[in-house]
Amino acid sequence: MTTTTPADQLLCWADDALVAAQRLTYWCARAPELEEDVALANIALDQLGVARLLLTYAAEQLPPGTVPAAPPADPVTEDTLAFLRTDREFRNCLLVELPDDDYAVTIGKLLFLSAHQLALYTALRDGPDQRLAAIAGKARKESAYHFDHARLWTLRLGDGTDESHRRMQHAVDELWPYTHELVGPLPGGGPAGRRDDWLAAVTPVLAEATLRPPAADSDRWRPGGGRSGRHTEHLSFLLAEMQVVHRAHPGARW
């Protein structure tokens, strides 16, 4: 027997992927190597592709008028959800919206996110929702590549020069508190990621890269609120850039 996953849960996963894709596009024509420029663009496209599938699935469950900025009689679509929601209506975790102001931060975010997505999509692929299982089956293969790509760069930076090690360690220290929300429970009692599994994937990579996870993990600051619409100011700027064309030319078609 198949089941239907609630739209609230789909939006959490979709928004993680959509915001991550938008962040990664920052590195187009800025990456440290031409090959890396292409690789990050492809990873961004992978994330965008999964986001579109999940947003479409969620939109089919939502009645007209769900998004206040959209025409009230129009059906909800993936574009409605991507381009007409405000930051308060997005359900992504805070980790993915943080600025990629250093390449080590980008790699750290990709390592942590892809480790989570790989485990998540594996579980969803084998779950009772057949449509979601089909989406997750495709996404899992891509996440395995994303994790391996981030792992190799983490090793390269962490076990590289003194400067690359310092910056990679700083990225790990700064991002680590946000990973609790990444693998935490979803609104409405949705399935949570298993932090033990996530740690089992991430910790060996950090060790091999001569990096250390923060000590006294349980006592550290654990920012959250993204799943319920309480975001950092960074998401507002990201959405302004991502949504400007759609909002400036409503109904336009290429």
Side-chain angles (χ1 to χ4, degrees), residues 133-172:
I135 297 172
K138 170 182 179 294
R140 184 193 176 283
K141 298 175 184 175
E142 296 169 347
S143 293
Y145 162 72
H146 301 168
F147 179 73
D148 189 55
H149 187 84
R151 183 183 68 83
L152 293 174
W153 268 99
T154 299
L155 299 179
R156 188 172 176 180
L157 296 177
D159 198 21
T161 65
D162 290 344
E163 176 64 9
S164 70
H165 175 87
R166 182 190 68 77
R167 291 166 71 165
M168 195 66 222
Q169 182 64 63
H170 179 72
V172 170

Side-chain angles (χ1 to χ4, degrees), residues 106-188:
T106 297
I107 294 302
K109 288 170 62 179
L110 185 58
L111 178 72
F112 295 159
L113 176 65
S114 61
H116 166 64
Q117 288 181 325
L118 180 56
L120 171 68
Y121 295 145
T122 300
L124 296 178
R125 180 197 60 182
D126 301 328
D129 185 335
Q130 294 181 5
R131 179 166 175 181
L132 185 57
I135 297 172
K138 170 182 179 294
R140 184 193 176 283
K141 298 175 184 175
E142 296 169 347
S143 293
Y145 162 72
H146 301 168
F147 179 73
D148 189 55
H149 187 84
R151 183 183 68 83
L152 293 174
W153 268 99
T154 299
L155 299 179
R156 188 172 176 180
L157 296 177
D159 198 21
T161 65
D162 290 344
E163 176 64 9
S164 70
H165 175 87
R166 182 190 68 77
R167 291 166 71 165
M168 195 66 222
Q169 182 64 63
H170 179 72
V172 170
D173 293 341
E174 291 294 311
L175 297 172
W176 194 266
Y178 293 90
T179 62
H180 292 279
E181 183 187 38
L182 173 68
V183 297
L186 300 180

Side-chain angles (χ1 to χ4, degrees), residues 15-54:
D15 290 347
D16 281 354
L18 179 63
V19 173
Q22 182 69 13
R23 275 287 179 237
L24 285 170
T25 59
Y26 168 82
W27 288 103
C28 288
R30 291 190 176 96
E33 298 173 351
L34 179 59
E35 186 178 47
E36 185 63 2
D37 201 300
V38 175
L40 290 180
N42 282 328
I43 292 173
L45 287 173
D46 289 342
Q47 294 282 1
L48 180 61
V50 175
R52 291 189 62 187
L53 293 172
L54 293 172

